[in-house]
Amino acid sequence: GNLYWTDHGFNLIEVARLNGSFRYVIISQGLDQPRSIAVHPEKGYLFWTEWGQSPCIGKAHLDGSEKVVLVSLGIAWPNGISIDYEENKLYWCDARTDKIERIDLESGGNREIVLSGSNVDMFSVAVFGAYIYWSDR
């Protein structure tokens, strides 16, 4: 198995084996303050959130190739990100808009608001079966 992580100090996404060996940078270009990542090993996708000057949700293959932006409008401080493997949906929470939203993880289409609060400051989100879990500060 592999371990993936973001380094928003250096604007990198990296991977290594679970024992720390074979560490290398997957994406180093075009990132601006990456925050969270989610991996879909079966489909071979990596998803991430960015705060930066142009906040967004990104997608690439696990080797960093074919990088695309799935969401760039109506997003401010995307924090946590999670995959619903059964429904093929990608969820994220936004600490600025106080929302949990989702999209189709293949196309980025069918964007929906799942939960909208006020002054919640959502930090992370997880999806399991019919349940959505989130944390706030």
Side-chain angles (χ1 to χ4, degrees), residues 4-15 23-37 46-50 64 67:
Y4 295 81
W5 69 93
T6 63
D7 185 332
H8 59 267
F10 291 102
N11 294 328
L12 302 173
I13 296 177
E14 298 184 72
V15 64
R23 178 179 175 178
Y24 67 95
V25 175
I26 298 175
I27 301 175
S28 62
Q29 300 294 316
L31 293 177
D32 189 8
Q33 297 182 42
R35 301 291 293 180
S36 298
I37 60 172
L46 169 72
F47 302 90
W48 67 92
T49 63
E50 290 185 58
K67 192 174 100 172

Side-chain angles (χ1 to χ4, degrees), residues 56-103:
C56 68
I57 308 273
K59 171 185 168 186
H61 287 288
L62 292 178
D63 64 0
S65 65
E66 297 190 40
K67 192 174 100 172
V68 295
V69 171
L70 294 178
V71 178
S72 61
L73 299 174
I75 192 167
W77 292 346
N79 270 327
I81 190 168
S82 183
I83 296 170
D84 181 339
Y85 296 95
E86 292 179 11
E87 299 294 326
N88 287 314
K89 298 284 188 181
L90 183 69
Y91 287 72
W92 74 93
C93 59
D94 193 309
R96 183 79 178 261
T97 64
D98 298 330
K99 293 177 186 172
I100 295 176
E101 297 186 68
R102 70 180 178 185
I103 53 173

